[in-house]
Amino acid sequence: MARDLSLALDAAARRMKRSKSEIMQAAVAAYLSPDGDEAAEAAVVRRLDRIGRSLERLERDVTISNEAVALLVKAWLTATPILSGGDQKAQNAKGQERYAGFLEALSRRLASGRLLRAEVLDEAKSGIGEV
């Protein structure tokens, strides 16, 4: 264990371009400092806050996505007429055409960088797009 610490100290001294005694003094001072624990705790709290905000944004985005998909499915189910058996081939062709159009529109939107969440938030602020 002492050998490992010695090797780590040598590597740190080379990497930092500092003497081993300078590194040892700084390490002992940090270890004995009453503020050391508080600084470490503050760093952890900042990281946790940042993670929390990221999770909140992620939750909001997933909620918007889920609602958008749900509305799309609802609209599709309520607007798609049931065709008779003789029209099955035409129905399949139209379904393939609609799906290809959906994929193209989705690809364009993703490539443009303009995501639905931004559009939804903009429309919510301006009162446009209410269903």
Side-chain angles (χ1 to χ4, degrees):
M1 177 138 169
R3 176 82 175 134
D4 293 340
L5 288 175
S6 178
L7 291 174
L9 182 59
D10 288 340
R14 281 191 304 275
R15 186 177 62 252
M16 298 171 146
K17 296 182 177 143
R18 302 272 186 228
S19 69
K20 290 191 272 185
S21 63
E22 284 178 293
I23 294 172
M24 290 293 294
Q25 285 176 346
V28 169
Y31 183 76
L32 297 176
S33 170
D35 296 336
D37 288 340
E38 291 173 12
E41 183 179 339
V44 169
V45 167
R46 282 192 306 274
R47 287 184 187 125
L48 287 174
D49 286 344
R50 193 169 50 242
I51 290 169
R53 286 190 303 274
S54 293
L55 285 174
E56 287 171 2
R57 284 190 302 271
L58 181 60
E59 181 182 10
R60 182 198 66 206
D61 293 350
V62 168
T63 299
I64 290 171
S65 297
N66 288 344
E67 289 300 312
V69 169
L71 284 172
L72 175 66
V73 169
K74 181 179 178 183
W76 180 76
L77 289 174
T78 57
T80 304
I82 298 174
L83 300 176
S84 64
D87 296 299
Q88 188 67 37
K89 192 172 188 178
Q91 184 178 4
N92 287 342
K94 190 62 174 173
Q96 291 297 324
E97 179 184 326
R98 291 165 88 182
Y99 184 66
F102 167 74
L103 290 179
E104 184 180 325
L106 180 61
S107 296
R108 274 195 317 267
R109 179 177 286 276
L110 292 174
S112 75
R114 177 89 172 134
L115 300 179
L116 179 63
R117 70 167 181 230
E119 189 175 308
V120 168
L121 293 174
D122 290 345
E123 287 179 357
K125 288 177 187 173
S126 64
I128 299 173
E130 293 182 17
V131 179

